mmCIF file of all heavy atoms in Angstrom:
data_model
loop_
_atom_site.group_PDB
_atom_site.id
_atom_site.type_symbol
_atom_site.label_atom_id
_atom_site.label_comp_id
_atom_site.label_asym_id
_atom_site.label_seq_id
_atom_site.Cartn_x
_atom_site.Cartn_y
_atom_site.Cartn_z
ATOM 1 N N VAL C 11 -17.296 12.465 -8.484
ATOM 2 C CA VAL C 11 -17.041 13.178 -9.635
ATOM 3 C C VAL C 11 -15.648 12.929 -10.290
ATOM 4 O O VAL C 11 -15.538 12.829 -11.516
ATOM 5 C CB VAL C 11 -16.973 14.702 -9.330
ATOM 6 C CG1 VAL C 11 -16.624 15.637 -10.539
ATOM 7 C CG2 VAL C 11 -18.447 15.104 -8.751
ATOM 8 N N ALA C 12 -14.667 12.754 -9.547
ATOM 9 C CA ALA C 12 -13.396 12.355 -9.875
ATOM 10 C C ALA C 12 -12.590 11.595 -8.807
ATOM 11 O O ALA C 12 -12.904 11.735 -7.627
ATOM 12 C CB ALA C 12 -12.493 13.603 -10.387
ATOM 13 N N ALA C 13 -11.612 10.784 -9.144
ATOM 14 C CA ALA C 13 -10.927 9.977 -8.249
ATOM 15 C C ALA C 13 -9.626 9.483 -8.743
ATOM 16 O O ALA C 13 -9.426 9.142 -10.037
ATOM 17 C CB ALA C 13 -11.777 8.789 -7.827
ATOM 18 N N LYS C 14 -8.642 9.375 -7.845
ATOM 19 C CA LYS C 14 -7.396 8.689 -8.131
ATOM 20 C C LYS C 14 -7.056 7.771 -6.995
ATOM 21 O O LYS C 14 -7.224 8.224 -5.891
ATOM 22 C CB LYS C 14 -6.215 9.819 -8.405
ATOM 23 C CG LYS C 14 -6.283 10.402 -9.769
ATOM 24 C CD LYS C 14 -5.585 9.459 -10.805
ATOM 25 C CE LYS C 14 -5.564 10.179 -12.135
ATOM 26 N NZ LYS C 14 -4.517 11.233 -12.306
ATOM 27 N N GLN C 15 -6.593 6.629 -7.299
ATOM 28 C CA GLN C 15 -6.195 5.612 -6.322
ATOM 29 C C GLN C 15 -4.788 5.277 -6.463
ATOM 30 O O GLN C 15 -4.236 5.036 -7.598
ATOM 31 C CB GLN C 15 -6.927 4.367 -6.455
ATOM 32 C CG GLN C 15 -6.685 3.396 -5.349
ATOM 33 C CD GLN C 15 -5.596 2.353 -5.588
ATOM 34 O OE1 GLN C 15 -5.616 1.736 -6.535
ATOM 35 N NE2 GLN C 15 -4.587 2.400 -4.771
ATOM 36 N N TYR C 16 -3.995 5.478 -5.419
ATOM 37 C CA TYR C 16 -2.480 5.165 -5.394
ATOM 38 C C TYR C 16 -2.187 3.840 -4.691
ATOM 39 O O TYR C 16 -2.675 3.631 -3.517
ATOM 40 C CB TYR C 16 -1.731 6.332 -4.741
ATOM 41 C CG TYR C 16 -1.825 7.602 -5.471
ATOM 42 C CD1 TYR C 16 -2.995 8.401 -5.237
ATOM 43 C CD2 TYR C 16 -0.922 8.044 -6.373
ATOM 44 C CE1 TYR C 16 -3.124 9.729 -5.873
ATOM 45 C CE2 TYR C 16 -1.071 9.350 -7.054
ATOM 46 C CZ TYR C 16 -2.133 10.118 -6.704
ATOM 47 O OH TYR C 16 -2.276 11.303 -7.450
ATOM 48 N N THR C 17 -1.403 2.992 -5.256
ATOM 49 C CA THR C 17 -0.984 1.790 -4.484
ATOM 50 C C THR C 17 0.435 2.154 -3.927
ATOM 51 O O THR C 17 1.321 2.632 -4.620
ATOM 52 C CB THR C 17 -0.833 0.664 -5.541
ATOM 53 O OG1 THR C 17 -2.126 0.334 -6.061
ATOM 54 C CG2 THR C 17 -0.224 -0.545 -4.811
ATOM 55 N N VAL C 18 0.618 1.867 -2.661
ATOM 56 C CA VAL C 18 1.785 2.194 -1.943
ATOM 57 C C VAL C 18 2.472 1.071 -1.352
ATOM 58 O O VAL C 18 1.654 0.494 -0.421
ATOM 59 C CB VAL C 18 1.562 3.340 -0.899
ATOM 60 C CG1 VAL C 18 2.787 3.836 -0.303
ATOM 61 C CG2 VAL C 18 0.950 4.552 -1.666
ATOM 62 N N PRO C 19 3.627 0.640 -1.637
ATOM 63 C CA PRO C 19 4.240 -0.508 -0.853
ATOM 64 C C PRO C 19 4.415 -0.140 0.600
ATOM 65 O O PRO C 19 4.779 1.122 0.931
ATOM 66 C CB PRO C 19 5.563 -0.727 -1.528
ATOM 67 C CG PRO C 19 5.540 0.053 -2.822
ATOM 68 C CD PRO C 19 4.497 1.181 -2.612
ATOM 69 N N ILE C 20 4.260 -1.151 1.462
ATOM 70 C CA ILE C 20 4.513 -0.839 2.923
ATOM 71 C C ILE C 20 6.077 -1.061 3.158
ATOM 72 O O ILE C 20 6.577 -2.101 2.877
ATOM 73 C CB ILE C 20 3.791 -1.908 3.822
ATOM 74 C CG1 ILE C 20 2.251 -1.570 3.509
ATOM 75 C CG2 ILE C 20 4.091 -1.851 5.231
ATOM 76 C CD1 ILE C 20 1.398 -2.536 4.285
ATOM 77 N N ALA C 21 6.682 -0.029 3.637
ATOM 78 C CA ALA C 21 8.164 0.067 3.691
ATOM 79 C C ALA C 21 8.658 -0.957 4.604
ATOM 80 O O ALA C 21 9.785 -1.546 4.291
ATOM 81 C CB ALA C 21 8.536 1.533 4.199
ATOM 82 N N GLU C 22 8.026 -1.268 5.694
ATOM 83 C CA GLU C 22 8.602 -2.225 6.536
ATOM 84 C C GLU C 22 8.638 -3.733 5.928
ATOM 85 O O GLU C 22 9.689 -4.393 6.098
ATOM 86 C CB GLU C 22 7.828 -2.396 7.846
ATOM 87 C CG GLU C 22 7.789 -1.093 8.795
ATOM 88 C CD GLU C 22 6.805 -0.097 8.222
ATOM 89 O OE1 GLU C 22 6.188 -0.250 7.167
ATOM 90 O OE2 GLU C 22 6.793 1.069 8.830
ATOM 91 N N THR C 23 7.689 -4.016 5.091
ATOM 92 C CA THR C 23 7.690 -5.223 4.432
ATOM 93 C C THR C 23 8.711 -5.327 3.315
ATOM 94 O O THR C 23 9.457 -6.268 3.208
ATOM 95 C CB THR C 23 6.423 -5.484 3.871
ATOM 96 O OG1 THR C 23 5.311 -5.295 4.808
ATOM 97 C CG2 THR C 23 6.275 -6.947 3.293
ATOM 98 N N VAL C 24 8.905 -4.317 2.580
ATOM 99 C CA VAL C 24 9.904 -4.148 1.566
ATOM 100 C C VAL C 24 11.429 -4.316 2.310
ATOM 101 O O VAL C 24 12.152 -5.157 1.705
ATOM 102 C CB VAL C 24 9.921 -2.784 0.887
ATOM 103 C CG1 VAL C 24 11.026 -2.768 -0.168
ATOM 104 C CG2 VAL C 24 8.617 -2.652 0.173
ATOM 105 N N SER C 25 11.579 -3.631 3.359
ATOM 106 C CA SER C 25 12.873 -3.870 4.010
ATOM 107 C C SER C 25 13.130 -5.121 4.520
ATOM 108 O O SER C 25 14.288 -5.811 4.392
ATOM 109 C CB SER C 25 12.931 -2.943 5.213
ATOM 110 O OG SER C 25 12.943 -1.495 4.697
ATOM 111 N N ALA C 26 12.075 -5.839 5.052
ATOM 112 C CA ALA C 26 12.170 -7.252 5.566
ATOM 113 C C ALA C 26 12.577 -8.223 4.470
ATOM 114 O O ALA C 26 13.482 -9.130 4.554
ATOM 115 C CB ALA C 26 10.972 -7.723 6.261
ATOM 116 N N VAL C 27 11.919 -8.073 3.303
ATOM 117 C CA VAL C 27 12.209 -8.882 2.072
ATOM 118 C C VAL C 27 13.632 -8.744 1.595
ATOM 119 O O VAL C 27 14.300 -9.671 1.368
ATOM 120 C CB VAL C 27 11.176 -8.712 0.960
ATOM 121 C CG1 VAL C 27 11.593 -9.376 -0.330
ATOM 122 C CG2 VAL C 27 9.688 -9.074 1.332
ATOM 123 N N LYS C 28 14.107 -7.468 1.584
ATOM 124 C CA LYS C 28 15.382 -7.246 1.157
ATOM 125 C C LYS C 28 16.475 -7.831 1.996
ATOM 126 O O LYS C 28 17.580 -8.326 1.589
ATOM 127 C CB LYS C 28 15.644 -5.670 0.915
ATOM 128 C CG LYS C 28 14.961 -5.136 -0.192
ATOM 129 C CD LYS C 28 15.387 -3.542 -0.270
ATOM 130 C CE LYS C 28 14.673 -2.966 -1.528
ATOM 131 N NZ LYS C 28 14.944 -1.454 -1.500
ATOM 132 N N ALA C 29 16.148 -7.927 3.303
ATOM 133 C CA ALA C 29 17.099 -8.371 4.380
ATOM 134 C C ALA C 29 16.974 -9.903 4.474
ATOM 135 O O ALA C 29 17.753 -10.402 5.217
ATOM 136 C CB ALA C 29 16.982 -7.644 5.688
ATOM 137 N N GLY C 30 15.949 -10.527 3.882
ATOM 138 C CA GLY C 30 15.846 -11.837 4.047
ATOM 139 C C GLY C 30 15.203 -12.280 5.308
ATOM 140 O O GLY C 30 15.211 -13.527 5.718
ATOM 141 N N ARG C 31 14.467 -11.316 6.127
ATOM 142 C CA ARG C 31 13.849 -11.712 7.260
ATOM 143 C C ARG C 31 12.478 -12.299 7.017
ATOM 144 O O ARG C 31 11.777 -11.979 5.948
ATOM 145 C CB ARG C 31 13.657 -10.525 8.207
ATOM 146 C CG ARG C 31 14.950 -9.783 8.492
ATOM 147 C CD ARG C 31 14.596 -8.673 9.644
ATOM 148 N NE ARG C 31 13.687 -7.693 9.284
ATOM 149 C CZ ARG C 31 14.087 -6.499 8.655
ATOM 150 N NH1 ARG C 31 15.456 -6.284 8.486
ATOM 151 N NH2 ARG C 31 13.187 -5.675 8.444
ATOM 152 N N GLU C 32 12.017 -13.106 8.015
ATOM 153 C CA GLU C 32 10.673 -13.763 7.869
ATOM 154 C C GLU C 32 9.687 -12.624 7.973
ATOM 155 O O GLU C 32 9.704 -11.910 8.919
ATOM 156 C CB GLU C 32 10.505 -14.826 8.929
ATOM 157 C CG GLU C 32 11.402 -16.092 8.675
ATOM 158 C CD GLU C 32 10.836 -16.892 7.469
ATOM 159 O OE1 GLU C 32 9.676 -16.866 7.194
ATOM 160 O OE2 GLU C 32 11.671 -17.531 6.920
ATOM 161 N N VAL C 33 8.627 -12.672 7.087
ATOM 162 C CA VAL C 33 7.687 -11.684 7.030
ATOM 163 C C VAL C 33 6.437 -12.207 6.414
ATOM 164 O O VAL C 33 6.481 -12.947 5.363
ATOM 165 C CB VAL C 33 8.128 -10.322 6.374
ATOM 166 C CG1 VAL C 33 8.437 -10.581 4.830
ATOM 167 C CG2 VAL C 33 7.059 -9.264 6.463
ATOM 168 N N GLU C 34 5.270 -11.823 6.892
ATOM 169 C CA GLU C 34 4.009 -12.284 6.269
ATOM 170 C C GLU C 34 3.809 -11.500 4.972
ATOM 171 O O GLU C 34 3.780 -10.301 4.972
ATOM 172 C CB GLU C 34 2.868 -12.013 7.226
ATOM 173 C CG GLU C 34 1.568 -12.506 6.718
ATOM 174 C CD GLU C 34 0.430 -12.182 7.621
ATOM 175 O OE1 GLU C 34 0.552 -11.172 8.489
ATOM 176 O OE2 GLU C 34 -0.670 -12.813 7.601
ATOM 177 N N LEU C 35 3.433 -12.230 3.878
ATOM 178 C CA LEU C 35 3.259 -11.639 2.574
ATOM 179 C C LEU C 35 1.844 -11.835 2.169
ATOM 180 O O LEU C 35 1.523 -12.897 1.595
ATOM 181 C CB LEU C 35 4.302 -12.123 1.576
ATOM 182 C CG LEU C 35 5.738 -11.840 1.760
ATOM 183 C CD1 LEU C 35 6.617 -12.484 0.689
ATOM 184 C CD2 LEU C 35 5.964 -10.298 1.801
ATOM 185 N N THR C 36 1.001 -10.790 2.509
ATOM 186 C CA THR C 36 -0.401 -10.831 2.174
ATOM 187 C C THR C 36 -0.709 -9.436 1.355
ATOM 188 O O THR C 36 0.126 -8.520 1.464
ATOM 189 C CB THR C 36 -1.354 -10.971 3.384
ATOM 190 O OG1 THR C 36 -1.235 -9.823 4.093
ATOM 191 C CG2 THR C 36 -0.902 -12.220 4.126
ATOM 192 N N ALA C 37 -1.912 -9.334 0.755
ATOM 193 C CA ALA C 37 -2.306 -8.018 0.349
ATOM 194 C C ALA C 37 -2.216 -6.938 1.221
ATOM 195 O O ALA C 37 -1.640 -5.899 0.950
ATOM 196 C CB ALA C 37 -3.741 -8.176 -0.249
ATOM 197 N N ARG C 38 -2.567 -7.253 2.457
ATOM 198 C CA ARG C 38 -2.585 -6.235 3.490
ATOM 199 C C ARG C 38 -1.294 -5.817 4.038
ATOM 200 O O ARG C 38 -1.034 -4.647 4.422
ATOM 201 C CB ARG C 38 -3.596 -6.507 4.582
ATOM 202 C CG ARG C 38 -4.000 -5.465 5.535
ATOM 203 C CD ARG C 38 -5.018 -5.874 6.594
ATOM 204 N NE ARG C 38 -6.291 -6.306 6.005
ATOM 205 C CZ ARG C 38 -7.341 -5.666 5.532
ATOM 206 N NH1 ARG C 38 -7.069 -4.321 5.696
ATOM 207 N NH2 ARG C 38 -8.296 -6.144 4.977
ATOM 208 N N THR C 39 -0.344 -6.743 4.042
ATOM 209 C CA THR C 39 0.969 -6.508 4.662
ATOM 210 C C THR C 39 1.941 -5.941 3.610
ATOM 211 O O THR C 39 2.966 -5.372 3.936
ATOM 212 C CB THR C 39 1.509 -7.735 5.297
ATOM 213 O OG1 THR C 39 1.782 -8.753 4.180
ATOM 214 C CG2 THR C 39 0.613 -8.329 6.314
ATOM 215 N N MET C 40 1.585 -6.192 2.354
ATOM 216 C CA MET C 40 2.578 -5.591 1.299
ATOM 217 C C MET C 40 2.273 -4.273 0.610
ATOM 218 O O MET C 40 3.087 -3.561 0.405
ATOM 219 C CB MET C 40 2.539 -6.680 0.049
ATOM 220 C CG MET C 40 3.094 -8.066 0.517
ATOM 221 S SD MET C 40 2.961 -9.237 -0.982
ATOM 222 C CE MET C 40 4.093 -8.491 -2.090
ATOM 223 N N HIS C 41 0.942 -4.051 0.597
ATOM 224 C CA HIS C 41 0.477 -2.679 -0.016
ATOM 225 C C HIS C 41 -0.519 -2.036 0.755
ATOM 226 O O HIS C 41 -1.414 -2.709 1.368
ATOM 227 C CB HIS C 41 0.054 -2.828 -1.510
ATOM 228 C CG HIS C 41 1.138 -3.493 -2.376
ATOM 229 N ND1 HIS C 41 1.317 -4.899 -2.542
ATOM 230 C CD2 HIS C 41 2.092 -2.813 -3.181
ATOM 231 C CE1 HIS C 41 2.292 -5.026 -3.398
ATOM 232 N NE2 HIS C 41 2.809 -3.881 -3.781
ATOM 233 N N GLU C 42 -0.662 -0.686 0.763
ATOM 234 C CA GLU C 42 -1.824 0.013 1.118
ATOM 235 C C GLU C 42 -2.337 0.773 -0.041
ATOM 236 O O GLU C 42 -1.696 1.111 -1.006
ATOM 237 C CB GLU C 42 -1.456 0.947 2.322
ATOM 238 C CG GLU C 42 -0.537 2.052 1.955
ATOM 239 C CD GLU C 42 -0.139 2.850 3.190
ATOM 240 O OE1 GLU C 42 -1.102 3.163 3.976
ATOM 241 O OE2 GLU C 42 0.990 3.339 3.376
ATOM 242 N N ARG C 43 -3.670 1.233 0.166
ATOM 243 C CA ARG C 43 -4.291 1.973 -0.994
ATOM 244 C C ARG C 43 -4.714 3.253 -0.415
ATOM 245 O O ARG C 43 -5.349 3.303 0.572
ATOM 246 C CB ARG C 43 -5.471 1.281 -1.556
ATOM 247 C CG ARG C 43 -4.957 -0.157 -2.147
ATOM 248 C CD ARG C 43 -6.037 -0.732 -3.067
ATOM 249 N NE ARG C 43 -5.532 -1.964 -3.661
ATOM 250 C CZ ARG C 43 -4.818 -2.151 -4.790
ATOM 251 N NH1 ARG C 43 -4.214 -1.012 -5.345
ATOM 252 N NH2 ARG C 43 -4.475 -3.351 -5.147
ATOM 253 N N LYS C 44 -4.369 4.340 -1.220
ATOM 254 C CA LYS C 44 -4.770 5.729 -0.818
ATOM 255 C C LYS C 44 -5.577 6.243 -2.010
ATOM 256 O O LYS C 44 -5.202 6.323 -3.124
ATOM 257 C CB LYS C 44 -3.510 6.627 -0.511
ATOM 258 C CG LYS C 44 -2.674 6.193 0.532
ATOM 259 C CD LYS C 44 -1.516 7.111 0.803
ATOM 260 C CE LYS C 44 -0.726 6.686 1.969
ATOM 261 N NZ LYS C 44 0.377 7.589 2.200
ATOM 262 N N VAL C 45 -6.857 6.693 -1.635
ATOM 263 C CA VAL C 45 -7.825 7.211 -2.629
ATOM 264 C C VAL C 45 -8.175 8.619 -2.395
ATOM 265 O O VAL C 45 -8.387 9.089 -1.209
ATOM 266 C CB VAL C 45 -9.163 6.417 -2.556
ATOM 267 C CG1 VAL C 45 -10.104 6.686 -3.670
ATOM 268 C CG2 VAL C 45 -8.774 4.900 -2.506
ATOM 269 N N PHE C 46 -8.027 9.362 -3.412
ATOM 270 C CA PHE C 46 -8.501 10.817 -3.388
ATOM 271 C C PHE C 46 -9.663 11.007 -4.249
ATOM 272 O O PHE C 46 -9.634 10.665 -5.376
ATOM 273 C CB PHE C 46 -7.219 11.638 -3.837
ATOM 274 C CG PHE C 46 -6.035 11.685 -2.887
ATOM 275 C CD1 PHE C 46 -5.021 10.633 -2.959
ATOM 276 C CD2 PHE C 46 -5.886 12.601 -1.917
ATOM 277 C CE1 PHE C 46 -4.103 10.515 -2.161
ATOM 278 C CE2 PHE C 46 -4.795 12.498 -1.073
ATOM 279 C CZ PHE C 46 -3.860 11.474 -1.189
ATOM 280 N N VAL C 47 -10.713 11.656 -3.679
ATOM 281 C CA VAL C 47 -11.977 11.730 -4.229
ATOM 282 C C VAL C 47 -12.479 13.182 -4.376
ATOM 283 O O VAL C 47 -12.436 13.828 -3.244
ATOM 284 C CB VAL C 47 -12.975 10.760 -3.548
ATOM 285 C CG1 VAL C 47 -14.404 10.912 -4.099
ATOM 286 C CG2 VAL C 47 -12.494 9.373 -3.457
ATOM 287 N N VAL C 48 -13.026 13.575 -5.440
ATOM 288 C CA VAL C 48 -13.864 14.763 -5.491
ATOM 289 C C VAL C 48 -15.372 14.256 -5.509
ATOM 290 O O VAL C 48 -15.784 13.526 -6.319
ATOM 291 C CB VAL C 48 -13.509 15.492 -6.793
ATOM 292 C CG1 VAL C 48 -14.452 16.812 -6.837
ATOM 293 C CG2 VAL C 48 -12.054 15.900 -6.933
ATOM 294 N N ALA C 49 -16.015 14.658 -4.479
ATOM 295 C CA ALA C 49 -17.423 14.275 -4.442
ATOM 296 C C ALA C 49 -18.354 15.440 -4.946
ATOM 297 O O ALA C 49 -18.079 16.591 -5.002
ATOM 298 C CB ALA C 49 -17.772 14.045 -2.938
ATOM 299 N N ALA C 50 -19.504 14.895 -5.533
ATOM 300 C CA ALA C 50 -20.585 15.917 -5.909
ATOM 301 C C ALA C 50 -21.054 16.640 -4.698
ATOM 302 O O ALA C 50 -21.105 16.177 -3.660
ATOM 303 C CB ALA C 50 -21.650 15.102 -6.717
ATOM 304 N N ASP C 51 -21.583 17.837 -5.060
ATOM 305 C CA ASP C 51 -22.196 18.679 -4.037
ATOM 306 C C ASP C 51 -23.403 17.914 -3.377
ATOM 307 O O ASP C 51 -24.274 17.365 -4.143
ATOM 308 C CB ASP C 51 -22.752 19.956 -4.635
ATOM 309 C CG ASP C 51 -21.557 20.829 -4.972
ATOM 310 O OD1 ASP C 51 -20.502 20.731 -4.450
ATOM 311 O OD2 ASP C 51 -21.802 21.871 -5.786
#
């Protein structure tokens, strides 16, 4: 019936990039997705 999807950066990956540490940069390691759904009866 209704839905919102939030893109959320993964904090550990952000910290690693800022510090210059080696880190795997892929869709799964950089962001997670949170979905909130209103379903029909």
Side-chain angles (χ1 to χ4, degrees):
V11 175
K14 280 281 179 72
Q15 186 268 306
Y16 297 85
T17 299
V18 181
I20 295 176
E22 294 82 356
T23 306
V24 175
S25 297
V27 169
K28 288 181 177 179
R31 298 194 302 270
E32 289 292 329
V33 62
E34 181 184 26
L35 295 176
T36 66
R38 196 174 299 277
T39 64
M40 292 178 68
H41 299 91
E42 61 180 322
R43 300 199 180 277
K44 297 183 178 181
V45 189
F46 294 85
V47 176
V48 178
D51 292 340

